Amino acid sequence: MPTILFVLTGTDHWTLADGTRHPTGFWADEAVAPWSVFTEAGYDVEVATPGAVVPTVDPLSLDPSFTGGAEGAERLRAALDTMTPLLRPRPLAGTDPQAYAAVFYPGGHGPMEDLSHDPDSAALLTRSLASGQPLALVCHGPAALLATADAEGNSPFAGYRLTAFTNAEETGSGLASRAPWLLQDRLTALGTDVQEGEPWAPKTVSDRTLHTGQNPASAGPLAEVVLGELG
């Protein structure tokens, strides 16, 4: 079966500007929604994390206040229980993106902590971009692109149009004033052209083989975009 690679954060916290550890991980529905899209279309999914760490789900992403109620939270928990590849991730180091039909990076604040400077993720992203295969990142997942900058600050993603969790959304989440840096600002400094949509509304941007989604609501639509690219 053709396989999609999900690259997930390996951390369970995000270090804020004052040194406080904010509990996090990957955002549940940013993995569950695209996973469902791909598997229902007949694709298998494999998972890779830094050091092959079993990924942690952000506890807030399972809170009923973020899932539309208790029923939504239970739906996500039940879906996660069926996603057994989450329990046996492969290490990012040495993973060949060309062995997969596409690469997908879910978000959550976790990528701000580890993937934003992970050299193995940077190598995978660079190879994936060069291969011409679909590459997708959603919400805080595009933080991983920051690791692709070289010593002079140059990145193969400079000049690409994309979207990601915006400053307005981070402010709305209550964490902008406590963040060590903001994703939209750093992606702009990297040389990407960040396209900002309405806060919390689904938005995807495609530029060549790079496909991005702005926020959790964009995860499912982004997977559909990738599915369309795969034909």
Side-chain angles (χ1 to χ4, degrees):
M1 295 291 291
T3 304
I4 308 288
L5 179 67
F6 273 40
V7 178
L8 291 170
T9 177
T11 191
D12 62 2
H13 68 276
W14 178 32
T15 305
L16 301 179
D18 63 359
T20 301
R21 287 190 166 197
H22 176 72
T24 189
F26 70 90
W27 197 260
D29 207 31
E30 292 178 28
V32 169
W35 195 296
S36 297
V37 169
F38 293 133
T39 56
E40 288 172 10
Y43 288 86
D44 287 334
V45 176
E46 290 185 9
V47 173
T49 64
V53 172
V54 174
T56 298
V57 61
D58 189 313
L60 276 181
S61 69
L62 296 174
D63 188 297
S65 62
F66 287 91
T67 63
E71 185 176 330
E74 182 54 38
R75 176 187 62 81
L76 287 173
R77 291 182 191 278
L80 289 168
D81 286 343
T82 70
M83 294 160 58
T84 54
L86 290 171
L87 302 177
R88 50 175 190 272
R90 61 176 298 132
L92 263 178
T95 296
D96 181 5
Q98 291 181 267
Y100 302 91
V103 175
F104 195 98
Y105 277 66
H109 280 104
M112 302 276 279
E113 181 76 15
D114 60 357
L115 298 181
S116 62
H117 58 268
D118 187 286
D120 296 317
S121 175
L124 187 148
L125 287 166
T126 300
R127 290 187 66 188
S128 181
L129 188 68
S131 75
Q133 69 190 129
L135 170 62
L137 308 93
V138 65
C139 199
H140 289 90
L145 301 180
L146 301 175
T148 65
D150 62 19
E152 287 74 43
N154 300 313
S155 166
F157 292 91
Y160 274 77
R161 291 182 298 105
L162 53 76
T163 190
F165 204 66
T166 64
N167 290 356
E169 287 168 322
E170 203 69 85
T171 298
S173 77
L175 288 168
S177 63
R178 304 175 62 196
W181 46 270
L182 297 177
L183 180 55
Q184 183 177 356
D185 292 345
R186 290 286 296 274
L187 288 171
T188 299
L190 188 70
T192 68
D193 180 6
V194 180
Q195 308 285 300
E196 182 175 357
E198 289 296 318
W200 316 114
K203 180 178 177 62
T204 65
V205 173
S206 295
D207 187 346
R208 288 156 279 184
T209 58
L210 178 66
H211 309 283
T212 51
Q214 181 171 309
N215 45 38
S218 307
L222 181 62
E224 294 286 0
V225 169
V226 173
L227 203 59
E229 181 80 2
L230 291 170

